[in-house]
Amino acid sequence: MKKKNWFALIGLALALVAGTDTALADTSKISPDLLPYLSQPGQQVNVIVQYSGPQVSTNCSGFIGTLLCTPLNLLGGSLHTVFALLNAVTATVDSGNLLSLSNLPSVTYVSLDRTL
């Protein structure tokens, strides 16, 4: 193969790898109506996060509450409501963190918190 073709091939491979995180990401735990937000980082979005098990705390204030709500806090999210019977919470998160949130092992699904 010519030297010029190798550079083109390497350039293409680097472009694919350096593309957006959502290009090769697993978005199966993100609702379809949230997918457009993945390409708009920095936007605040209200979501419902469903978990595989019960959440330990219904209060994220104070030292203990902050430790128990660490996943949302680490991602810059604000917890609004805990639905203990449903293993779910409502929160506001940065759209750039939706994929990271969905990749947490305890998260089963992330959907848009819509007005009914």
Side-chain angles (χ1 to χ4, degrees):
M1 193 177 254
K2 293 182 182 178
K3 191 175 189 179
K4 192 183 248 185
N5 291 342
W6 277 106
F7 285 120
L9 184 61
I10 291 171
L12 178 62
L14 288 174
L16 289 173
V17 171
T20 63
D21 290 338
T22 58
L24 300 173
D26 178 13
T27 58
S28 63
K29 294 196 298 187
I30 300 176
S31 66
D33 54 356
L34 270 177
L35 293 178
Y37 289 95
L38 294 177
S39 63
Q40 303 169 11
Q43 186 174 355
Q44 296 295 304
V45 60
N46 294 325
V47 296
I48 300 171
V49 182
Q50 298 174 27
Y51 292 91
S52 57
Q55 295 304 291
V56 179
S57 176
T58 58
N59 181 3
C60 284
S61 61
F63 179 72
I64 299 298
T66 301
L67 290 175
L68 295 174
C69 296
T70 298
L72 280 175
N73 289 337
L74 287 176
L75 299 174
S78 301
L79 183 68
H80 298 294
T81 309
V82 175
F83 300 102
L85 293 175
L86 302 174
N87 297 330
V89 299
T90 60
T92 301
V93 297
D94 185 289
S95 57
N97 292 332
L98 287 171
L99 191 59
S100 298
L101 180 62
S102 73
N103 285 332
L104 292 173
S106 60
V107 172
T108 57
Y109 202 68
V110 182
S111 56
L112 187 62
D113 187 6
R114 297 180 290 280
T115 304
L116 297 177

